Amino acid sequence: QKEVEQDPGPLSVPEGAIVSLNCTYSNSAFQYFMWYRQYSRKGPELLMYTYSSGNKEDGRFTAQVDKSSKYISLFIRDSQPSDSATYLCAMSKGGSYIPTFGRGTSLIVHP
Amino acid sequence: KAGVTQTPRYLIKTRGQQVTLSCSPISGHRSVSWYQQTPGQGLQFLFEYFSETQRNKGNFPGRFSGRQFSNSRSEMNVSTLELGDSALYLCASSEGPDSSGNTIYFGEGSWLTVV
């Protein structure tokens, strides 16, 4: 079993939909949780960063961490075609700069 | 503030050759890590440098090597290229262990094709 599991998709939604992207993990030592967005042929771009459990909101994006269930989510409200990309979850232990990445979920938002 | 800069962006090499990729981290960042990304394996960690010292290494053969200079800039080298080395090579920088954050920031990557 991989330390971080993420459904590769693709996930196809109509414009304006609420998107839910998820990752599960097995290592309870993870304390820092990140979401990256990667457009085709580009490097991953940091979207959200959360420490420990709880919610964090930034515009149309909300990140949720449930450490008791070892489950993290990224919600995108009012999705746009420009949100079409691969979303990678990542998590790391305290003091570590080597995040463990999920395989990424491909999101397609069609007009 | 400028982001992570990687050069070259695209390159084609022949099997058996070697390649050197370069990375300039975000100003003030002292930790640099390298990743290989392929469709089949996803993002795989290669190695991480801080203050010119390799602190962590992933599970890659010795053909993959790197170094960091005193100005935090880093290079990675792949010798005796194989077809399977074709991938996007990503450099990421972070502030370092004495910072309060734990995030890494990626460059645009170097696309390597081995023929």
Side-chain angles (χ1 to χ4, degrees):
Chain A
Q1 182 193 9
K2 281 182 167 289
E3 267 193 309
V4 179
E5 298 279 2
Q6 185 177 13
D7 188 331
L11 178 62
S12 182
V13 301
E15 183 176 355
I18 297 174
V19 175
S20 172
L21 303 165
N22 311 293
C23 288
T24 59
Y25 63 95
S26 57
N27 192 335
S28 58
F30 289 139
Q31 297 181 38
Y32 299 87
F33 304 90
M34 293 145 279
W35 286 95
Y36 288 84
R37 177 177 62 195
Q38 186 174 23
Y39 291 114
S40 180
R41 304 190 74 80
K42 297 282 192 179
E45 167 196 13
L46 180 66
L47 261 184
M48 301 285 283
Y49 165 70
T50 311
Y51 171 67
S52 194
S53 283
N55 293 2
K56 186 173 184 178
E57 189 173 320
D58 185 1
R60 295 185 295 113
F61 299 90
T62 299
Q64 279 186 357
V65 175
D66 182 349
K67 291 189 73 178
S68 62
S69 302
K70 297 190 179 68
Y71 189 88
I72 70 171
S73 301
L74 177 70
F75 297 96
I76 307 174
R77 290 184 299 281
D78 188 24
S79 56
Q80 302 295 310
S82 59
D83 295 328
S84 299
T86 296
Y87 290 79
L88 298 135
C89 64
M91 44 201 80
S92 63
K93 305 169 196 174
S96 170
Y97 289 84
I98 317 299
T100 300
F101 285 86
R103 292 290 303 275
T105 298
S106 174
L107 172 66
I108 301 166
V109 181
H110 51 87
Chain B
K1 193 188 264 193
V4 179
T5 305
Q6 290 188 246
T7 56
R9 288 293 319 279
Y10 303 93
L11 64 165
I12 300 173
K13 291 286 187 178
T14 304
R15 218 169 15 168
Q17 287 186 312
Q18 73 154 11
V19 66
T20 299
L21 308 176
S22 181
C23 172
S24 291
I26 292 170
S27 178
H29 283 192
R30 295 189 293 156
S31 173
V32 173
S33 50
W34 288 90
Y35 292 79
Q36 181 196 66
Q37 188 177 36
T38 59
Q41 299 296 323
L43 263 172
Q44 293 188 282
F45 169 72
L46 280 157
F47 25 67
E48 184 230 356
Y49 288 87
F50 176 77
S51 292
E52 302 177 65
T53 301
Q54 186 181 89
R55 295 199 305 166
N56 294 283
K57 188 176 190 304
N59 190 26
F60 277 81
R63 299 185 298 108
F64 292 81
S65 63
R67 58 177 176 168
Q68 186 181 33
F69 302 97
S70 58
N71 61 359
S72 294
R73 195 177 66 84
S74 177
E75 289 181 347
M76 69 161 282
N77 184 78
V78 187
S79 62
T80 320
L81 284 165
E82 301 176 359
L83 295 178
D85 296 334
S86 295
L88 175 64
Y89 289 88
L90 290 159
C91 172
S93 78
S94 59
E95 292 176 358
D98 52 350
S99 74
S100 58
N102 224 45
T103 50
I104 64 172
Y105 299 87
F106 285 94
E108 295 283 40
S110 293
W111 283 93
L112 170 65
T113 301
V114 182
V115 297

